[in-house]
Amino acid sequence: MRLNSKTRFIIKLLIIGLVLIVLYLFFWGRLNFMCPWLIGFDKIETESSVIYYHKGEVDLRKFPKVDSLIVKVENFHNLKFQRKVQIVISSNIKEHRRFNGHDVKFVTQPFWGRVYILYSREYFETKAGALCSYLQHELSHSIINQNITNSKLTG
């Protein structure tokens, strides 16, 4: 049975709409944790991490030395990170919620183990110890996610 031209046109529109929705979610929404690019962020690369942030909105001077925390986490778990740790620091709650769907300040997404942090001047400037503890906790999730994901994908 052959579809008429109007039905084919509607099916094509639905497919195009679905592709556009998935692309939006991949680049700017909940599927962003699988996307290798973060649009609209500045980035700093260290030896073992990539930190994405908004220049002018996020003050990284009080941000702990991520590489030293990564070494601590690797030693604790007796595992190695499979790739550089990606840390995304959102500057507002709407952006943070758009990426991960949570209002909590620190979240690690599965699959690649990308860490999302909601920037809070209070944590970054006055509670450096708490920030360090939370970040180390999320890095533990990240190393486990990276090692589990890598073994599932390659083995």
Side-chain angles (χ1 to χ4, degrees):
M1 180 169 109
R2 186 145 196 234
L3 298 175
N4 64 29
S5 63
K6 187 175 182 180
T7 306
R8 283 187 296 195
F9 178 73
I10 290 173
I11 290 172
K12 286 178 185 177
L13 278 179
L14 288 173
I15 290 171
I16 290 170
L18 183 63
V19 167
L20 290 175
I21 289 170
V22 169
L23 284 175
Y24 171 80
L25 291 173
F26 185 71
F27 286 108
W28 295 282
R30 291 294 310 272
L31 298 178
N32 178 267
F33 67 91
M34 293 187 285
C35 181
W37 309 285
L38 278 158
I39 298 170
F41 283 86
D42 295 299
K43 77 176 181 178
I44 294 176
E45 288 199 48
T46 67
E47 188 176 315
S48 28
S49 69
V50 181
I51 302 169
Y52 296 94
Y53 69 105
H54 295 292
K55 191 178 282 183
E57 296 177 25
V58 175
D59 184 9
L60 292 179
R61 289 176 291 179
K62 300 289 183 174
F63 198 67
K65 300 291 183 203
V66 177
D67 289 344
S68 64
L69 291 177
I70 288 172
V71 170
K72 284 182 185 178
V73 169
E74 286 178 335
N75 291 337
F76 178 80
H77 289 283
N78 200 21
L79 294 169
K80 292 287 182 194
F81 280 98
Q82 303 297 311
R83 65 196 72 74
K84 284 188 172 189
V85 177
Q86 294 184 351
I87 300 172
V88 180
I89 304 174
S90 299
S91 59
N92 64 61
I93 189 69
K94 285 184 178 179
E95 178 181 71
H96 188 66
R97 191 180 300 131
R98 186 182 77 219
F99 284 141
N100 60 58
H102 301 283
D103 288 343
V104 296
K105 289 185 173 158
F106 299 86
V107 177
T108 300
Q109 290 291 352
F111 199 62
W112 299 116
R114 186 180 282 171
V115 177
Y116 289 89
I117 299 173
L118 175 60
Y119 178 71
S120 169
R121 192 171 304 280
E122 176 187 0
Y123 273 93
F124 276 65
E125 292 180 3
T126 62
K127 296 185 178 182
L131 174 63
C132 191
S133 297
Y134 281 124
L135 184 55
Q136 191 169 343
H137 175 83
E138 294 305 323
L139 288 171
S140 288
H141 290 297
S142 182
I143 196 168
I144 292 168
N145 285 335
Q146 278 192 16
N147 281 278
I148 290 173
T149 302
N150 204 39
S151 66
K152 296 267 186 214
L153 290 176
T154 60

